[in-house]
Amino acid sequence: MEGIQNPIHRTVEEVFSDFKGRRAGLLKALTTDGQKFFLQCDPEKENLCLYGLPNETWEVNLPVDEVPPELPEPALGINFARDGMPEKDWITLVAVHSDSWLISVAFYFGARFGFGKNERKRLFQMINELPTIFELITGNAKQSKDQSANNNSSRSKSSGVKPRQSESHTKASKMSPPPREDDESGEDEEDDEQGAVCGACGDNYDDFWICCDACEKWFHGKCVKITPAKAEHIKHYKCPSCSTNKKMRA
């Protein structure tokens, strides 16, 4: 306990290096050393854990007897589930628990070494730049945040939601809806494109679109006789229908 009360200071970089070493060891166990790992997880043995070590190695062993343990313990009894499910599913399950254990060890060190808010944030950001073991095992490494944001933006445009424009641009702006994708599920395609149809002619594709600031419907520029050059000078555009309704109420 004396060591916890007066911990030896470690930097964020040192804790991250420890994280990477343990992570590399766990990856070896679940990939290149997969057969060896499988054989060591004998269901006939007692509760076993998979440990990743800072020197990029791994070991399957019993949990430590010390209470509380010096470090957070990984998932207990991984060997008992080995023969109860397909091997691929079992490996995936171990990968998920391994990711959780790595995070808990890293932030245990962060607490023990007295990391402040900024140091903890930096540590998480460094860890978050790496794909998880689960993602690498399943081959589903996540897309970058920028790519995900672009995908979300494309979905918003295809469903007729007005994109946010910079202050220097007018709300009446061009829009090029995404081309139709050959999708066997006709219902999904219809739902995705339902909002991206012209409020005047009902068609869903053209080179130039303009949005009405009153009803928020999109129109082909040619259908409402607005050119791209003319749209650049329009601050608040109202479609013919909204303009007519305003005159009638007046």
Side-chain angles (χ1 to χ4, degrees):
M1 296 300 292
E2 181 180 355
I4 295 179
Q5 293 173 356
N6 299 286
I8 300 174
H9 181 70
R10 293 289 186 270
T11 65
V12 171
E13 286 73 20
E14 287 174 317
V15 173
F16 181 58
S17 178
D18 180 273
F19 174 91
K20 289 195 299 181
R22 295 177 189 275
R23 174 178 174 273
L26 293 171
L27 276 172
K28 287 180 182 178
L30 299 177
T31 55
T32 55
D33 295 346
Q35 189 60 31
K36 180 180 178 181
F37 168 65
F38 183 87
L39 293 175
Q40 289 191 23
C41 293
D42 187 349
E44 298 299 321
K45 295 182 179 180
E46 297 183 38
N47 291 308
L48 294 176
C49 301
L50 172 62
Y51 294 89
L53 305 179
N55 62 355
E56 301 187 4
T57 61
W58 60 274
E59 67 175 9
V60 172
N61 212 333
L62 295 171
V64 297
D65 294 329
E66 181 183 0
V67 178
E70 182 180 357
L71 291 177
E73 283 290 294
L76 181 66
I78 57 173
N79 51 316
F80 295 148
R82 191 195 72 175
D83 296 340
M85 62 179 70
E87 181 178 348
K88 182 178 179 180
D89 292 343
W90 176 68
I91 290 291
T92 300
L93 180 63
V94 176
V96 170
H97 283 289
S98 297
D99 283 321
S100 300
W101 178 69
L102 286 172
I103 291 289
S104 67
V105 170
F107 279 84
Y108 165 81
F109 282 137
R112 183 173 179 180
F113 300 143
F115 286 1
K117 176 182 177 180
N118 292 335
E119 290 171 310
R120 293 194 303 270
K121 182 178 180 180
R122 188 154 62 92
L123 175 61
F124 177 77
Q125 289 174 335
M126 294 169 73
I127 292 173
N128 205 38
E129 287 299 315
L130 299 174
T132 65
I133 295 176
F134 171 80
E135 290 169 342
L136 293 173
I137 293 297
T138 58
N140 294 325
K142 291 183 178 179
Q143 298 173 335
S144 67
K145 293 182 180 179
D146 290 340
Q147 186 173 353
S148 297
N150 288 337
N151 290 340
N152 291 335
S153 177
S154 296
R155 295 191 191 99
S156 296
K157 289 181 180 180
S158 66
S159 60
V161 179
K162 284 202 304 182
R164 185 185 296 262
Q165 303 293 330
S166 64
E167 293 181 1
S168 61
H169 283 72
T170 64
K171 291 184 179 179
S173 62
K174 290 193 293 183
M175 174 184 175
S176 298
R180 285 178 182 259
E181 296 180 1
D182 295 333
D183 191 347
E184 294 180 1
S185 58
E187 293 182 359
D188 292 342
E189 180 175 332
E190 182 178 350
D191 289 340
D192 288 341
E193 307 237 351
Q194 184 176 1
V197 295
C198 175
C201 69
D203 287 338
N204 66 338
Y205 186 78
D206 199 4
D207 292 329
F208 170 70
W209 294 69
I210 190 168
C211 182
C212 174
D213 288 290
C215 64
E216 296 188 349
K217 290 182 180 179
W218 288 96
F219 297 85
H220 296 148
K222 63 182 180 182
C223 291
V224 291
K225 298 181 180 179
I226 299 293
T227 64
K230 187 176 181 180
E232 293 295 329
H233 302 285
I234 300 176
K235 293 183 179 180
H236 300 283
Y237 172 73
K238 288 187 178 180
C239 67
S241 177
C242 290
S243 297
T244 301
N245 290 338
K246 182 179 179 180
K247 291 178 181 179
M248 291 178 64
R249 286 196 298 268

